Amino acid sequence: QRHLFIRDSNKGKNKIAQKVSEETAETIIEAIQGKKKLAVQESCDLLYHLIVMWAKLGVNPKEIWNELDKRMKKTKTKKK
């Protein structure tokens, strides 16, 4: 599987962005139609292509989780 990741991360930014966009649309369609199993499968594809995009940009996934954590803390503060 690693060779697929390397191959995909060697694609251009536009191609990677196109895949993220396609997988986003497919995930939304399955979710709207209430197809849980297919929504899960498409979500996996979406996450995979997001990770490929992050790698292309030199983003460490930890940066994403840290940003999400900061946003969650802000949301909790605003609700109090």
Side-chain angles (χ1 to χ4, degrees):
Q1 299 291 343
R2 179 139 176 89
H3 68 283
L4 291 175
F5 182 81
I6 292 169
R7 180 202 68 195
D8 289 342
S9 62
N10 284 330
K11 293 179 180 175
K13 290 178 192 172
N14 289 344
K15 184 67 176 170
I16 294 169
Q18 180 182 354
K19 286 302 293 179
V20 171
S21 178
E22 289 170 9
E23 298 303 341
T24 299
E26 291 170 6
T27 301
I28 291 167
I29 289 166
E30 300 304 347
I32 288 171
Q33 293 179 352
K35 297 178 180 175
K36 181 180 176 180
K37 183 177 180 178
L38 291 175
V40 168
Q41 292 171 347
E42 293 299 340
S43 294
C44 288
D45 293 341
L46 174 57
L47 287 172
Y48 170 80
H49 289 288
L50 274 173
I51 292 167
V52 169
M53 184 175 67
W54 298 342
K56 184 72 170 182
L57 296 172
V59 174
N60 184 315
K62 189 172 184 171
E63 293 175 75
I64 302 296
W65 307 135
N66 288 342
E67 180 64 24
L68 183 58
D69 189 46
K70 284 192 314 191
R71 291 178 182 205
M72 296 301 288
K73 287 178 183 174
K74 286 181 183 178
T75 301
K76 288 179 184 177
T77 304
K78 287 181 182 178
K79 287 184 178 181
K80 289 184 179 180

